[in-house]
Amino acid sequence: GAGVSQTPSNKVTEKGKYVELRCDPISGHTALYWYRQSLGQGPEFLIYFQGTGAADDSGLPNDRFFAVRPEGSVSTLKIQRTERGDSAVYLCASSADRALNTGELFFGEGSRLTVL
Amino acid sequence: KQEVTQIPAALSVPEGENLVLNCSFTDSAIYNLQWFRQDPGKGLTSLLLIQSSQREQTSGRLNASLDKSSGRSTLYIAASQPGDSATYLCAVKRRSSASKIIFGSGTRLSIRP
């Protein structure tokens, strides 16, 4: 697609449920990032993929959070046993291979997660 | 550990004024620095990207500068307009083979008509 696409745009779930958030990056972009943003704060880094592998997952808050990118394109962020504190906007961004490009980051519109 | 700070957290100025937003970072070994705009309830829109070898970038009424030695970047907005009202975020990518990008907490800008 022309830009980074994230689905769903809004997700309301109950405490303890499992949630999946999807990111479809710009075609050909090898780098993919997940961020979490709370109201009034800057985006907080979660995980960074280069191709299919997680190059840096140091931002994942705990083992309830997991992300995959099996074919090096679409990525899914998975949250198990959701808690109210997981409520935030989850942002996805992609970037072309840094050896070939400037490393400019392009963001999707985000998935707003509300845990009741 | 890279830390990115943006001061002030909020700024309100009358229309037509020139203004400067500040971004500071603790580790000068960066690959690039990018400025973004975020409107309420929306994703981030890239404004300007400065490579580590560059000192400034310009786009229309926007000019971003980079001083790695002092760990600072500024975003200059000329002749501000009400449509410039938004949150402005800076983000730094470290100079390593696979590095995350760290954001500041943003400056919420309001331009008064």
Side-chain angles (χ1 to χ4, degrees), chain B residues 6-8 11 18-24 33-38 45-50 55-66 72-78 84 86-90 107 109:
Chain B
Q6 291 187 249
I7 295 173
L11 181 65
N18 303 324
L19 60 99
V20 174
L21 305 179
N22 298 295
C23 172
S24 60
L33 184 146
Q34 195 166 355
W35 281 93
F36 294 87
R37 169 188 174 133
Q38 186 174 33
T45 300
S46 178
L47 296 174
L48 289 166
L49 180 143
I50 310 177
R55 291 194 62 86
E56 67 176 343
Q57 282 287 328
T58 298
S59 176
R61 294 182 295 108
L62 305 179
N63 176 278
S65 69
L66 174 64
R72 296 181 65 179
S73 176
T74 62
L75 179 66
Y76 174 83
I77 303 177
D84 295 331
T87 296
Y88 291 80
L89 296 139
C90 70
T107 294
L109 177 65

Side-chain angles (χ1 to χ4, degrees), chain B residues 79-97:
Chain B
S80 58
Q81 304 171 357
D84 295 331
S85 297
T87 296
Y88 291 80
L89 296 139
C90 70
V92 174
K93 184 174 178 69
R94 290 193 66 194
R95 193 171 62 235
S96 64
S97 59

Side-chain angles (χ1 to χ4, degrees), chain A residues 33 35 37 58 98 102 104, chain B residues 38 46 51 93 96 101:
Chain A
Y33 300 78
Y35 287 84
Q37 188 175 29
S58 62
R98 136 180 164 169
T102 61
E104 187 174 6
Chain B
Q38 186 174 33
S46 178
Q51 300 296 339
K93 184 174 178 69
S96 64
I101 296 173

Side-chain angles (χ1 to χ4, degrees), chain A residues 19-62:
Chain A
V19 167
E20 287 190 355
L21 306 176
R22 176 189 166 108
C23 174
D24 198 343
I26 292 173
S27 178
H29 279 191
T30 58
L32 186 146
Y33 300 78
W34 282 100
Y35 287 84
R36 177 169 70 173
Q37 188 175 29
S38 300
L39 193 63
Q41 301 295 315
E44 173 193 13
F45 171 79
L46 296 177
I47 187 169
Y48 157 51
F49 287 91
Q50 185 64 41
T52 59
D56 187 336
D57 64 357
S58 62
L60 295 177
N62 51 59

